[in-house]
Amino acid sequence: MRHGKKVNHLGRKTAHRKAMLANMACSLIEHKRINTTVAKAKALKQFVEPLVTKSKEDTTHNRRIVFSRLRNKYAVTELFRDVATKVGDRPGGYTRIIKLGNRLGDNADMAMIELVDYNELYNAGKPAKKKARRRGGKGKKAETAPVAPATDTTNSEEE
């Protein structure tokens, strides 16, 4: 039984798997999209999304945590400087996996994993979302200001 075992070992020892995911995450941060197998893309998604969440708050502690996982100071700088500013208002779901079909050599399922906010093709067709705000009562009152009733002065003069 495999109860509670969420990690896909990807046919590798622990050190090899961690090094491979760190290298793939650095490539994803640098190039904004990479092609890989579906299984590796799903494992990379679980690896990189918490790091992007950490990068939203630029503290020394968060930088050290991210650096301990990525082990590449240029990728950490890129993540905290450029990527964090672009995904600052997004509550999660920073990556997207798009299946590409099977690889010619060994028929492996291939996929493209990308950072969501950097895809101009998907974002071009949709208008920018406005932030949801609660309706205030001031706008309605200003529009429907009460108008004073017009008095007919001709009738009052005759009486």
Side-chain angles (χ1 to χ4, degrees):
M1 292 186 292
R2 58 178 310 276
H3 295 303
K5 297 183 180 179
K6 293 184 178 180
V7 177
N8 187 351
H9 296 292
L10 300 173
R12 288 161 173 80
K13 303 278 180 162
T14 305
H16 184 189
R17 185 173 58 252
K18 287 182 179 178
M20 181 190 67
L21 288 173
N23 288 334
M24 288 174 66
C26 292
S27 296
L28 178 65
I29 291 166
E30 181 184 348
H31 299 291
K32 311 304 185 247
R33 73 176 53 142
I34 57 173
N35 290 340
T36 183
T37 62
V38 172
K40 286 181 189 173
K42 289 179 180 178
L44 180 61
K45 184 176 186 120
Q46 289 180 338
F47 181 85
V48 81
E49 294 226 357
L51 301 181
V52 177
T53 302
K54 288 271 187 212
S55 73
K56 288 169 137 183
E57 186 180 352
D58 191 3
T59 62
T60 305
H61 182 62
N62 283 349
R63 279 185 179 262
R64 286 179 176 167
I65 290 172
V66 171
F67 181 75
S68 71
R69 302 288 302 274
L70 288 181
R71 298 179 237 160
N72 183 339
K73 65 181 181 181
Y74 301 111
V76 172
T77 304
E78 175 88 11
L79 179 65
F80 276 85
R81 196 172 283 158
D82 298 333
V83 176
T85 57
K86 200 137 186 180
V87 301
D89 57 342
R90 183 177 288 275
Y94 310 110
T95 57
R96 176 187 295 129
I97 296 175
I98 300 172
K99 294 184 180 178
L100 300 175
N102 295 341
R103 187 161 53 196
L104 287 176
D106 58 356
N107 209 31
D109 288 334
M110 296 299 289
M112 176 178 66
I113 182 167
E114 65 182 3
L115 294 173
V116 171
D117 291 318
Y118 285 91
N119 188 338
E120 291 80 23
L121 297 177
Y122 277 12
N123 298 337
K126 300 175 185 172
K129 284 188 176 179
K130 295 181 181 177
K131 289 195 173 188
R133 295 187 207 167
R134 296 180 64 189
R135 265 185 84 119
K138 293 182 181 178
K140 200 169 190 180
K141 289 179 185 174
E143 291 175 10
T144 59
V147 178
T151 56
D152 192 12
T153 55
T154 56
N155 290 341
S156 61
E157 290 176 2
E158 293 174 1
E159 292 177 8

